[in-house]
Amino acid sequence: MGVRTFTDMREGLRGVDVVIMLRLQNERMRGALLPSAQEYFKQYGLTQDKLALAAPDCIVMHPGPMNRGVEIESAVADGPQSVILDQVTFGIAVRMAVMSILAQS
């Protein structure tokens, strides 16, 4: 299907046009399956250094709410490549429209 998987985040970021980060639920951080928040951020958190590996015009997405310093660095979340606020805003409108359509059925 043309999908490639990576175990190294830096390798997976090289040249990409879009980075979509996901929210890590804090309640799942307490189990033995995940490292500490600091170790998670070191391995999987999106930083400016990691983002520099992507295409220069790459956009950054995240559905929110964000765990800053765990999934994403504040400088990236608030940076010029971030479309997170737009994504969250439009997501609300889309969910409202879907709910309206379903309520009329």
Side-chain angles (χ1 to χ4, degrees), residues 93-105:
V94 168
R95 287 190 295 278
M96 288 175 61
V98 169
M99 289 173 56
S100 176
I101 291 168
L102 292 174
Q104 293 173 6
S105 297

Side-chain angles (χ1 to χ4, degrees), residues 31 64 75 84 89 92-93:
I84 295 169
T89 300
I92 292 168

Side-chain angles (χ1 to χ4, degrees), residues 23-69:
R23 179 177 176 268
L24 181 66
Q25 295 175 325
N26 284 328
E27 55 273 16
R28 296 183 192 223
M29 293 294 288
R30 295 186 194 102
L33 299 176
L34 294 172
S36 68
Q38 296 82 13
E39 187 62 25
Y40 183 90
F41 182 70
K42 181 180 174 186
Q43 292 294 317
Y44 306 110
L46 186 59
T47 63
Q48 287 181 310
D49 288 341
K50 290 177 185 171
L51 184 57
L53 299 168
D57 58 347
C58 174
I59 62 171
V60 176
M61 301 177 75
H62 189 296
M66 289 180 281
N67 292 307
R68 292 172 184 257

